[in-house]
Amino acid sequence: MTDLDDVAPPGNALSSRHLRRDRLHDTLDGAAGHRCVLVIGPAGIGKTELLRAWCAEQPMVTFYDLAHDGPARLRPPVRSKTSMSMVLDNVHRASKTQLDDIIGLLAEPVGPRLVIAGRWVPPRLRACLPTAGSTEIDGSALALTEDETARLCARYGRLSPETLAEVYAVTGGWTAGAIVAATSIAGDPVGTGHQLHRLHAIGATLHDYVVGDVLAHLSDDDRRAVADTSSVETVSAALFTALTGRPDAGRLLEELARDGMFAVAVGERGWHRYCRLWRTALYLHAQHFEPDRLRSLHRTAGDWYLAHGRYREAVHHATAAGDHAHAAELTTRYRFHLLADGPLITVIPAPSPTWPVPLVAGNRPSRHAGPVTAVAGVLAQTAATARDAPDADAARHVVERAAPVIAALNAGRPLEARTHLIAWLRAAHQLGPLPHARALRHSAATELQLGNLQLAAARAGQTRRILADHGVSGAHDDGWATIVLAAVHIQRNELTAAAEQLRGLAVDLWRTDAPLTAAEHLHRAMIEQQRGDVQAALRTTRQLIETGTPSAELLHLHVQLLLANGHTIDAERHAQTYAVWLTDPLRRLVDAGLLLAQHRAAEATETLQTFVQHTDGSTLCRIDALLLLADAAAQTGHLEHATHLRRQAERIAAPAGIRRPFLLNPPQNTVDPGPPVRGPADRVPPATLTDRELDVLRLLNTLLTVAEIAAALHLTDNTVKSHVSGIYRKLKVRRRRDAVRLAYTLQLL
């Protein structure tokens, strides 16, 4: 056999439109300390072009294409055996001889550095990697970022930022999909706005590619089974078997998920989700060529979900099967369950008007016609039919407990919401995991308003884990939990992490839920504002107001941005036009900001003075109010008082690490008055609380049990109990409620 000893790096084989991704080149360069680097990802993710571009920049690299260079032996050049790198592409198609050579090279104590690329790693090779000192660049790292998607699409035509964001959301960073989408949109004579509504339909052009390339290693029967299971959002082994009759569903799912080739695991209970664009290709093909079979699959899926108490999915699949009478019957019978579980948002193209509309009971189209109105409407109906359903009384009980929580949150009264949440959480937990997840995400939103960022993030994360573990993909509550996580990062000025959360939201939910989409863009505007790009943030908020029903948070941010740009008249006009949408706390903040812009400091102070004295509202709003009061004091020349007000705001924000309000409103015209005036916050008990006791005290101001507090702080239950006893002793109280109330008085919280 001919040895492949001196194959030159094929740099000239690169596409003229190849996108150099510095971060991946840096990762390859930085992995020099590892004997073996794996570059594993699905077809079309850009592995080969990445490695060819990297090879072209390296002085001593040999490139092998194991799929096309024949069964030649793999041996490094003798002259540079220990100092060179060998790039082995298409390892999933390596022959037995080539695998033997690779394993032999890894077994040598001294040898070349291997960069192994492919769609998956052959099991024989995977088994020997732990001892070889390997590291891996997987499909998630290979996927394009949002910025890289924009740079790649720019090579195929000029697209608006909104369109680029849509392309990224649909393709999920899959390079080949981004190219197909960019080419399709750039060449659309009707305009990108028209094309965007059909972006998912580009999957229809990929069916042959998916079947003939991505799934080429599977048998015909296996490919048939995969196509049939594309009728559901997520699939477990049991659901796979119900749809296909395959008793080996677990084995096939494991093979599809190997190295992230086609499916990805969702949660920890065996659920999987196919790549969105590839699933769309299979689904649209079935819809066009096998509509009767697809309707039958939907009926089977609906029956399976109904038997497992998953009523939202059962309604969805009954509608998709064209059985609208059955869908209506299920909706009536299980209406309380549907409201308790929350809406279901599906991510499937809708090419026909008979396609099921997402169940949106509980959505928030406006502040006054939101979930509370929907709940009240159901409760006002005769419940005779609903009582025939299993657990109908329990579901009704959960819905009744949810209404006051949602009403309090919409009104900006988080402490009131927290009080009602106790009953809702308890009832929802007894009804099932999905109702419990819905209550938890409202708990996360409550703690966010109260400024308890750590607990808000914990509740949001718990919500997402519960939904993922039960195979719920595209859930309304999952999206709002992600928004809470992004908001926590924004308040802490962790903008990169916040942007990552929003990117994940865009990919997971796409654009199927208008309120969620608006919330995503709102938080992107907050990031832009925090990064100093006020003009970009203003463009985002202006577009949101023009294209949809504005939320109170959006209007508050929009007025802030207008004032920051000196557009006082426009800010006042928007505040007057949309005043009905504002909660009382946000209305006061907006009014005070406008008054300060007009140098009417005394009126601004009067607007906020009573508000900051109440501790039952949003902590974030209270911090904003104190900073505006500081601005008012500085505007009237009371500089020491302004500094004192800012310090008061900082004391409230410090425990949770809240930084955003201070970055947007830096101190102006204040002085350092020397030692701070001793106020209520300084009147701590004779025995000062330790830092760990303060950590425990903050979590006592939540709904967490002692065991949950211990888990959150990585302590034992007995240690937390000891800290609680110490807190009670130092504060001279006997109950948790009294400790929290006194802590607020002393401004320890």
Side-chain angles (χ1 to χ4, degrees), residues 402-591:
V405 174
I406 298 172
L409 283 176
N410 283 350
R413 300 192 299 270
L415 276 181
E416 179 184 332
R418 182 195 273 174
T419 301
H420 293 296
L421 262 167
I422 298 174
W424 185 10
L425 284 166
R426 185 182 301 115
H429 188 270
Q430 294 173 353
L431 185 61
L434 302 189
H436 187 216
R438 184 160 197 242
L440 278 171
R441 76 97 165 163
H442 283 85
S443 176
T446 300
E447 298 304 331
L448 176 65
Q449 284 195 23
L450 289 170
N452 298 320
L453 302 188
Q454 181 178 1
L455 185 55
R459 294 294 199 200
Q462 189 178 358
T463 299
R464 301 201 67 194
R465 285 192 297 275
I466 290 174
L467 294 171
D469 285 345
H470 289 81
V472 179
S473 178
H476 180 84
D477 295 315
D478 182 68
W480 285 110
T482 304
I483 289 292
V484 169
L485 291 172
V488 167
H489 288 304
I490 288 172
Q491 291 297 330
R492 290 174 171 166
N493 199 38
E494 300 164 348
L495 302 186
T496 300
E500 285 296 323
Q501 292 290 345
L502 297 178
R503 263 195 291 272
L505 176 65
V507 172
D508 286 343
L509 299 179
W510 198 48
R511 296 294 189 261
T512 53
D513 186 328
L516 263 177
T517 300
E520 178 209 334
H521 286 302
L522 169 65
H523 285 77
R524 287 184 185 275
M526 294 170 70
I527 292 174
E528 291 166 343
Q529 178 193 28
Q530 220 153 307
R531 285 176 172 165
D533 195 350
V534 178
Q535 291 294 337
L538 188 55
R539 284 194 300 271
T540 301
T541 57
R542 183 179 288 115
Q543 183 177 14
L544 287 174
I545 290 175
E546 291 173 351
T547 58
T549 303
S551 65
E553 294 79 10
L554 169 60
L555 292 169
H556 178 222
L557 178 61
H558 189 60
V559 171
Q560 275 187 326
L561 293 169
L562 287 171
L563 292 176
N565 278 273
H567 304 317
T568 305
I569 296 177
D570 284 345
E572 189 171 4
R573 176 173 57 82
H574 277 88
Q576 291 175 351
T577 302
Y578 298 105
V580 66
W581 302 102
L582 292 169
T583 61
D584 181 68
L586 291 181
R587 181 182 58 78
R588 289 177 180 271
L589 292 176
V590 166
D591 290 346

